[in-house]
Amino acid sequence: MELQIYLNGKLVPKSEAKISVFDHGLLYGDGVFEGIRSYDCLVFRLMEHIDRLFESAHTITLKVGMTKEELRDAVITTLKANRLRDAYIRLVVTRGPGDLGLDPNKCKAPTIFIIADKITLYPDALYKKGLDIVTVPTVRNLPEALNPSIKSLNYLNNILAKIEANNSGFSEALMLNASGYVAECTGENVFAVKCGELLTPPAYIGALEGITRHSIIELAEKLKVPFCEKPLTRHDLYNADEAFLTGTAAEVVPVVKLDGRVIGTGKPGPVTHKLTQAFHALTKTCGVKYKL
Ligand code: PMP
């Protein structure tokens, strides 16, 4: 059966899930989104994702036109329609169709769509070996210009960074802010471990407040791993004992090399391992359940 897409209140087959070329999500990147995972019929932290979506929408004065509960039900309906136990879910709200000017007031109603599909997992070897990443010249958007806490459809800043990493033969990029502090990667938050302490930059440095990041911080507290949120430089990462990235799609990925400098032993470390195990356990318990 063809994949069923939720589009503006209805389920439609993938081949018929089309939006207007006048949609401002397409013309201007004017919209917000979430990337969500379901694990064995449990949508991990679904309400937290919906809360973040509403916050992003509020900041860009985009009226979602559905309640949080209606959106939750729409996500579950989409998963059920496609009989998916484990999925990657893309929830998107755009400004909707308007005219060729960028004035959002000309857009009458938002476009809402939900794609739930099978996930393509990163290869196992990546998690065992760890990532080798590079710092790129493109800095993260200035929070004063476009706050990285808004999960908007405008990802060119991150895409430019990805292109720079790819051009240098790397698959992931470390992005700094305009003052040279570590911000995040193109789609993941960054953590370091130094002398047993877990470190991550505060969101005001220029990072998205990741839901995986938040889960890892909670787990660190539970597991009595000392934690500190503070600005980090590349020097801090080069000289860390361990480093890892967090994101919904990637989960927890160890980083073993940055800009040619080996981090710690050059292998995924024990704190990363402990937090990864705890994170996997959390994905089995924390979220909204559904039945197929
Ligand atoms: N930073 C950026 C720029 C992202 O796009 C994402 C989500 N892919 C993250 C961090 C991680 O956030 P989350 O853990 O909520 O997926």
Side-chain angles (χ1 to χ4, degrees):
M1 193 188 69
E2 204 179 343
L3 198 71
Q4 299 292 301
I5 312 291
Y6 176 95
L7 178 59
N8 296 328
K10 287 195 208 94
L11 284 167
V12 290
K14 180 181 170 181
S15 56
E16 289 166 32
K18 306 250 165 77
I19 63 163
S20 166
V21 292
F22 286 91
D23 195 300
H24 279 209
L26 178 63
L27 289 175
Y28 297 113
D30 186 357
V32 296
F33 78 101
E34 284 296 318
I36 312 167
R37 287 269 292 262
S38 80
Y39 295 90
D40 197 18
C41 291
L42 182 134
V43 191
F44 183 62
R45 303 226 131 144
L46 176 57
M47 294 324 287
E48 286 86 336
H49 279 283
I50 291 177
D51 285 344
R52 185 171 68 181
L53 182 91
F54 270 72
E55 287 194 5
S56 296
H58 183 63
T59 297
I60 70 161
T61 70
L62 169 59
K63 291 207 168 50
V64 176
M66 285 173 81
T67 65
K68 290 181 179 180
E69 290 69 30
E70 285 168 343
L71 216 45
R72 174 199 63 200
D73 294 347
V75 168
I76 301 297
T77 302
T78 313
L79 284 161
K80 285 183 165 184
N82 293 289
R83 305 206 55 78
L84 289 161
R85 300 184 77 84
D86 295 276
Y88 182 81
I89 304 142
R90 180 57 60 95
L91 170 53
V92 182
V93 185
T94 81
R95 190 78 65 180
D99 62 18
L100 290 178
L102 57 76
D103 187 353
N105 292 331
K106 302 270 173 65
C107 303
K108 295 279 174 290
T111 302
I112 304 182
F113 61 89
I114 303 166
I115 307 168
D117 205 351
K118 292 204 174 68
I119 34 161
T120 39
L121 292 170
Y122 288 100
D124 247 8
L126 185 97
Y127 295 88
K128 291 208 177 83
K129 219 169 129 235
L131 269 181
D132 178 3
I133 65 172
V134 68
T135 309
V136 292
T138 294
V139 297
R140 195 74 181 93
N141 281 329
L142 277 179
E144 298 81 1
L146 177 58
N147 196 318
S149 286
I150 306 168
K151 201 163 164 61
S152 86
L153 291 179
N154 200 316
Y155 256 56
L156 263 187
N157 182 224
N158 316 56
I159 291 166
L160 288 173
K162 193 71 151 182
I163 290 168
E164 287 164 351
N166 289 343
N167 286 349
S168 312
F170 293 83
S171 61
E172 192 47 84
L174 180 73
M175 300 182 76
L176 307 178
N177 72 3
S179 307
Y181 287 102
V182 171
E184 58 181 337
C185 286
T186 61
E188 291 93 24
N189 292 110
V190 180
F191 284 84
V193 180
K194 179 79 173 174
C195 301
E197 189 181 30
L198 183 68
L199 307 166
T200 199
Y204 69 76
I205 289 288
L208 181 76
E209 292 190 50
I211 285 168
T212 321
R213 173 187 184 273
H214 187 68
S215 302
I216 290 295
I217 295 169
E218 272 182 9
L219 291 170
E221 276 164 13
K222 217 170 121 193
L223 296 169
K224 309 234 176 323
V225 175
F227 166 70
C228 181
E229 204 182 64
K230 67 173 191 191
L232 299 173
T233 62
R234 283 191 293 165
H235 173 82
D236 296 325
L237 289 186
Y238 297 154
N239 294 289
D241 301 321
E242 300 177 35
F244 61 86
L245 312 181
T246 63
T248 294
E251 301 176 323
V252 182
V253 198
V255 176
V256 293
K257 215 174 185 188
L258 169 64
D259 305 332
R261 277 78 156 184
V262 172
I263 299 172
T265 61
K267 295 208 172 80
V271 179
T272 306
H273 183 71
K274 188 156 94 172
L275 290 167
T276 304
Q277 298 292 101
F279 180 74
H280 286 151
L282 196 69
T283 61
K284 293 184 175 66
T285 57
C286 216
V288 176
K289 282 200 176 109
Y290 58 98
K291 283 201 184 96
L292 290 184

